Every structure is written in C-alpha cells, then in structure tokens.
Amino acid sequence: MQIINARLRHSPALHTLSIEQGRFSAISEQSGALAATGAQIDAAGKLACAPFVEPHIHLDAALTAGEPNWNLSGTLFEGIERWAERKPLLNEADIRRRVLQTLELLVSQGVQFVRTHADISDPSLVGLRTLCALRDELKEKIEIQVVAFPQEGLLSFPNGVQLMEQALEIGADVVGGIPHFEYTRELGEASMKKVIELALKYDRLVDVHCDEIDDPNSRFLEVLACEALFHGLGERVTASHTTAMHSYDNAYCSKLFRLLKRSGINFISCPTESIHLQGRFDSYPKRRGLTRVKELNAAEINVCFGQDSIFDPWYSLGNGKLLRTLDFGLHICQMMGYDDFSQALDLISDNSARTLHIEDRYGIEVGKPGNLILLDGEDDYSVLRKQGDVLLSVRQGEVIMRREPARVVSPAWIDGNNA
Ligand code: 17E
Ligand code: FE2
C-alpha cells in the first residue's frame, strides 16, 4: 500500500508512505504534490499520525448508565455504589455486546490500542475473563491490555488479594489498585506495596487508580512512586487520575515532583471524567480536580489523556472521541499556548504509547507495523482548532475505517465573496 501527499507531524513537507507485508517499508519526502495512480491513496495534504491510544477506559462498565439506577450525586463514590448494583446482572453475552459496541466507537475515532480496566471485586471474575478472551480473539484487529482492577479495594474487599492473583493467573496484563478507597490510610499504603510485589511476582505492568479524590491528604502517589523507584520499575508503572494532586499545596508538590521525576512513572489524566466527578463537595470556589498535567509535562514526566468512561455509572456522556477529551484537557489545564497546541497530539498518541509500553511497535517509522490514521488538518494546531475528524485508519497496511468528510452547503453570499 502507498499513501501519497501525506503530512507528518512537525514536518510541513508532503510525504509518500509505503507499507509492505504489514510494515512501513519506506517513508520519503516529496518535492511537490503528486497525482495518485492506481491503488495509491491520496492524503491530499492531510496529517498522518500514529493511531490514537486509549490508555484508560472501563470497557466492562461501558454503556450501562442508568442500569438499574442513575448516579444522582455525580460523585465517584456513588458511581461505585451504582456499579455494585449492576455487577450481579453481568454475564458474558452482555459484556461482549457492550464491549464490541464501544470498541466500534473507539475504532471510528482512530484508536488502535486500548488499556481497559476490568473490575475484579467480583468472585465470578466474569468481566475480567470476558475481556481477556476478547483481547485474545481480537489481537489482529486491535491491541488491548487488561488491568485487573480491584474496584472495591484490594485489602478491604473480601478475598481481594486472592481475586487479584486469580486474575493474574487468568492472564491480566496489568496490576491495578485503588488506595484512596481502602478503609484506612494504612491499608492504602499496604495495598501499594502489595501491587508492586504482585507485579514483580507475575512480571506484569502496574496501573493504579491513585488518589482519585479531592482530599489533599490522600498521598498514596508518593508510596507508589517510591516503591517503583526502589524496585527499578518506573517506566512499567502508571498512576491514573491522581486528582488529589490538584489540592496538594505547592511546597509538598515541589518535594513530590523530585521523587516522581526520579521514579520515571507515567501519568494518565481523564479530564472529562475528573471535571465531572471532582469538586463535588465544594460550593464556590469549586476545584477543577485535575492532576497537574501542565506541570508534569513541563517537568518532562510522561503524561497522557484517557476517556475513562463511555455512558456508565460515573459518566453519562462519551463517544469514543479522544480529540474531544484532548480539547477539554487543554482548556481545563490551561495548556493553551502555541507550544502546547503544536505538540498537543502527543497527549493522545506518543505519550500514551509510552505509558502502555508499546513503543517498540508504535509510530510511523520504517520497520514498524504499518499503522496510521489520517486527520482532517495539516498539523496538530489545525486538527485541534478545527476538531478535525479522523478520515482514515490503516492497520498493518489495510484500511480498517474510512470517513467521508461532511459537506456543508454555505449561504450564497459567502460563496459569492469567496469566488
Ligand atoms: N471506577 C473508579 O474508581 N474511578 C473511575 N473514574 C471509574 C470507575 C470510571
Ligand atoms: Fe478509571
């Protein structure tokens, strides 16, 4: 397959991208626009980018909002209660149907890599089993990582550790945790040590829902980062949400950042979810409750954006569109400078790939799998400003999704002026 007249990020020239036997075989700069021949795909000057990565989503809960009850308070903790009412109704067919519908949304928005959480606070482990089975069945079509996520606590839920070990034996890729939900600070800290111990024992990655609360005294991140540092696991460890960091005072943050930087751990922020779930116990002024994405990024600590939810007990909107998540994130975090815009797509592509530990098979480079998307814009800035659609998604040299751009018929007086 050959794609001509494609722009690449941070390079204004037009390029020809060749994919043979599923891998990029040549990437060459053109001296000018070319006319397409035969089977070539004409990118018409649009931006080719590595596929988007969804680094944090709960596929087991997707498309269940209101079943059986709606989350009326809008808090994380009520979401956990409402989900606990839906859990007994889970079965494999129900999960498969919703997961496939959600993956369809993600693929239609240019996603080819997904890290999903699977709630293991459930003696049947049906969510985890079904997600691991789908991961294996779909591995040629989309790459999925499954996190064994102890939604109701690793140490506070009955047999939490045994369920985690069972999930890891079944084949979960990533060990999860939720220290701020454990009954006590002691249990929260002990849970972080347990998560790292299990990651070492089973040789898995780590992704913890960490300090997802507005409590400025929720400081499990320092325990996680320190454990990661002492065991040399940094790049294999991720702290998701860390919304309490919004409420830490600056003196503590300054100390904390030294450890974070040394540990090399990754961060995922879910801006649409956190702006909705956090700040719920404030009157005015109301905290935004997002982690310090701008400051992490400036400190060259790896940070990326995820959607977290699509129509579930925690968040009743969502459509798979990571460009929407990015747009929210940049606004809420006040990352609205020229440099921020010029590199914005990193937050839903390259940085996320680093978090998922898939860099060896990610990126538009000769020798790597021939995966890319085409965006309706010329560079990061224009894609962002125009909220450019994902026009094409190519996986190992095959088109898996194509979108026809919407055609708008303008009023005659504008057409006339443009003529
Ligand atoms: N569970 C949790 O603990 N936090 C979240 N943001 C979601 C589920 C969506
Ligand atoms: Fe989450």
Side-chain angles (χ1 to χ4, degrees):
M1 151 187 275
Q2 231 174 24
I3 300 177
I4 59 165
N5 301 327
R7 283 185 217 280
L8 295 176
R9 294 186 61 208
H10 314 307
S11 164
L14 298 176
H15 288 78
T16 298
L17 313 174
S18 307
I19 303 175
E20 281 169 35
Q21 283 160 0
R23 290 183 178 266
F24 289 109
S25 54
I27 297 169
S28 52
E29 195 172 313
Q30 301 167 195
S31 49
L34 298 173
T37 57
Q40 285 177 330
I41 293 176
D42 187 356
K46 306 291 187 194
L47 183 66
C49 173
F52 291 153
V53 177
E54 173 49 72
H56 188 124
I57 192 160
H58 296 254
L59 289 179
D60 55 354
L63 311 180
T64 64
E67 298 175 9
N69 293 304
W70 292 90
N71 178 346
L72 298 180
S73 66
T75 60
L76 167 68
F77 284 66
E78 188 183 340
I80 296 172
E81 276 179 48
R82 297 288 80 80
W83 172 239
E85 295 165 349
R86 180 60 169 78
K87 255 191 273 189
L89 310 176
L90 289 174
N91 61 56
E92 188 182 335
D94 157 54
I95 299 168
R96 278 182 175 263
R97 177 181 54 80
R98 290 183 291 98
V99 170
L100 288 172
Q101 280 177 19
T102 311
L103 289 175
E104 185 178 13
L105 291 174
L106 292 172
V107 169
S108 79
Q109 299 296 339
V111 172
Q112 291 188 23
F113 302 87
V114 178
R115 176 179 283 180
T116 177
H117 296 264
D119 183 359
I120 58 159
S121 300
D122 168 12
S124 81
L125 293 180
V126 63
L128 180 107
R129 287 179 207 282
T130 308
L131 281 167
C132 286
L134 281 167
R135 170 198 65 197
D136 297 343
E137 286 165 34
L138 300 174
K139 69 174 189 293
E140 303 299 330
K141 321 244 178 256
I142 184 163
E143 187 170 332
I144 299 174
Q145 290 180 358
V146 180
V147 185
F149 173 49
Q151 175 70 78
E152 294 179 57
L154 185 62
L155 302 178
S156 309
F157 188 77
N159 302 317
V161 174
Q162 287 94 316
L163 287 166
M164 176 63 83
E165 295 218 39
Q166 232 181 305
L168 296 170
E169 271 153 24
I170 290 168
D173 306 280
V174 189
V175 188
I178 185 162
H180 54 277
F181 195 77
E182 303 287 355
Y183 289 135
T184 63
R185 183 178 52 76
E186 283 84 354
L187 286 176
E189 285 177 20
S191 78
M192 291 298 84
K193 297 193 175 163
K194 195 73 192 172
V195 162
I196 295 291
E197 182 192 315
L198 292 172
L200 288 166
K201 177 173 169 191
Y202 289 88
D203 189 24
R204 305 294 155 88
L205 302 171
V206 170
D207 190 331
V208 170
H209 280 64
C210 197
D211 303 312
E212 188 185 9
I213 191 164
D214 286 321
D215 175 6
N217 298 310
S218 188
R219 294 185 172 186
F220 300 105
L221 174 58
E222 63 178 24
V223 182
L224 177 66
C226 186
E227 287 292 305
L229 175 68
F230 285 175
H231 291 96
L233 286 183
E235 61 183 25
R236 295 172 64 82
V237 171
T238 295
S240 281
H241 302 306
T242 61
T243 59
M245 197 199 287
H246 187 91
S247 299
Y248 294 163
D249 75 50
N250 287 341
Y252 173 64
C253 255
S254 146
K255 172 201 165 197
L256 177 66
F257 267 53
R258 175 171 172 268
L259 167 63
L260 299 181
K261 180 83 182 162
R262 287 187 175 191
S263 73
I265 69 168
N266 306 288
F267 285 81
I268 301 174
S269 171
C270 301
T272 44
E273 188 97 3
S274 293
I275 198 71
H276 162 58
L277 294 176
Q278 303 303 316
R280 289 282 175 170
F281 299 94
D282 294 354
S283 53
Y284 287 94
K286 243 186 235 285
R287 284 169 286 182
R288 300 178 188 205
L290 259 70
T291 196
R292 300 190 184 200
V293 176
K294 183 175 185 158
E295 292 74 14
L296 289 167
N297 199 47
E300 294 178 5
I301 294 168
N302 190 43
V303 55
C304 58
F305 284 142
Q307 298 179 73
D308 209 7
S309 291
I310 295 183
F311 194 65
D312 72 10
W314 294 274
Y315 186 79
S316 43
L317 295 175
N319 54 13
K321 193 168 184 177
L322 271 168
L323 281 168
R324 167 181 176 271
T325 309
L326 176 62
D327 192 28
F328 270 76
L330 295 175
H331 281 84
I332 300 166
C333 300
Q334 298 185 328
M335 296 172 74
M336 302 286 282
Y338 179 78
D339 287 346
D340 297 315
F341 290 145
S342 310
Q343 295 162 34
L345 293 176
D346 284 349
L347 291 159
I348 54 171
S349 60
D350 291 359
N351 294 6
S352 327
R354 191 166 150 198
T355 301
L356 263 60
H357 234 253
I358 54 172
E359 282 171 298
D360 60 335
R361 49 195 182 278
Y362 187 85
I364 300 181
E365 282 172 43
V366 171
K368 287 196 170 168
N371 305 332
L372 63 87
I373 56 176
L374 205 60
L375 294 163
D376 196 2
E378 295 73 50
D379 53 18
D380 286 38
Y381 201 153
S382 70
V383 169
L384 198 71
R385 186 175 67 80
K386 296 190 286 191
Q387 286 288 291
D389 279 327
V390 181
L391 300 174
L392 190 74
S393 184
V394 171
R395 186 156 179 87
Q396 292 176 18
E398 278 182 34
V399 174
I400 59 167
M401 190 282 298
R402 185 192 283 277
R403 173 177 280 107
E404 302 291 334
R407 223 177 75 75
V408 178
V409 179
S410 298
W413 57 269
I414 291 180
D415 270 356
N417 282 342
N418 281 344

